[in-house]
Amino acid sequence: MKKLAPSILSADFAQLGAETEKIEKAGAHIIHVDVMDGHFVPNISYGATVMKSLLGKTKLPFDVHLMIENADKYIPDFVTENTGYITVHQEACTHLDRTIEFIKSFGVKAGVALNPATPPQTLEYVADKLDMVLVMSVNPGFGGQSFIDNALTKIKKLDDFRKKNNLDFEIEVDGGVNLSNVREICDAGTDIIVAGSSIFGAEDIGNRVGEFLELL
């Protein structure tokens, strides 16, 4: 089953609880939590405190995307009863295997994100430990960017690789996803769709979630 993970980076933070309730009632599967540190990416978003403010207000699992340096230092802060995934960047982790094992030690699914210029071959020796690979289809740091088309090739390569090697990691795509391209992205082999401004920028957030779900 394909899953929809709206990114709260694009939500109205003055209405975060209410907007989270809207996406949950509309049928979204996951809450995508984009964390930026102003070092690994040229922007600062929010930390664990904002994410934890949703505890008790939603039953949806958190999909934590750490676009940060020194991820190991902060991973424990993002482990909660709602945390389903924690994803780190291949490019930001000096000891990626160790970081993956650290995430899994908390009973949380471990993911690794790949920037647009990073080939999937960099994950060859850790792929059997991964629960998810996140394909960045924009350069990370800001919402509202346009989808980079060659991400489709990367998705297909990852899908072929996992089938050939009997691996069961999920493929997630983040960046520039909208109603006009989501079907093609899913057909390439994507399991989890992240959408931010295309959902939270809609006049009717719940209706927009429904439109996405019809296309998954």
Side-chain angles (χ1 to χ4, degrees), residues 14-189:
Q15 303 291 331
L16 183 57
E19 294 199 347
T20 299
E21 183 179 2
K22 288 178 182 178
I23 63 170
E24 182 170 9
K25 284 185 175 180
H29 305 98
I30 301 167
I31 295 173
H32 191 76
V33 180
D34 283 310
V35 181
M36 306 179 189
D37 65 356
H39 296 281
F40 177 63
V41 294
N43 197 9
I44 297 173
S45 59
Y46 47 77
T49 301
V50 169
M51 183 192 80
K52 289 176 178 177
S53 72
L54 294 174
L55 292 173
K57 297 180 176 65
T58 180
K59 295 180 180 178
L60 294 180
F62 298 146
D63 170 23
V64 182
H65 178 193
L66 297 179
M67 290 173 271
I68 65 175
E69 297 175 357
N70 301 317
D72 289 32
K73 180 179 178 181
Y74 300 100
I75 284 168
D77 293 341
F78 289 92
V79 177
T80 72
E81 59 267 33
N82 280 44
T83 305
Y85 305 80
I86 294 179
T87 297
V88 295
H89 268 262
Q90 184 272 352
E91 305 85 2
C93 293
T94 304
H95 303 289
L96 184 59
D97 182 89
R98 180 187 299 164
T99 300
I100 292 166
E101 292 288 357
F102 187 47
I103 294 170
K104 294 173 82 74
S105 73
F106 293 98
V108 174
K109 292 182 178 180
V112 173
L114 299 175
N115 280 341
T118 304
Q121 292 90 328
T122 58
L123 300 182
E124 180 178 356
Y125 295 109
V126 296
D128 61 331
K129 298 182 178 183
L130 293 178
D131 299 296
M132 182 170 69
V133 176
L134 169 54
V135 175
M136 292 301 301
S137 44
V138 298
N139 288 293
F142 299 94
Q145 299 182 65
S146 297
F147 185 85
I148 297 174
D149 289 335
N150 64 19
L152 293 170
T153 301
K154 188 181 293 187
I155 297 163
K156 292 173 183 176
K157 286 183 177 179
L158 282 165
D159 189 34
D160 289 342
F161 175 77
R162 66 178 172 180
K163 290 175 180 174
K164 180 180 178 181
N165 293 279
N166 282 328
L167 300 172
D168 60 358
F169 60 78
E170 295 175 286
I171 298 173
E172 181 175 61
V173 172
D174 182 5
V177 179
N178 54 52
L179 294 175
S180 65
N181 61 18
V182 66
R183 186 65 257 167
E184 184 178 18
I185 295 168
C186 286
D187 289 344

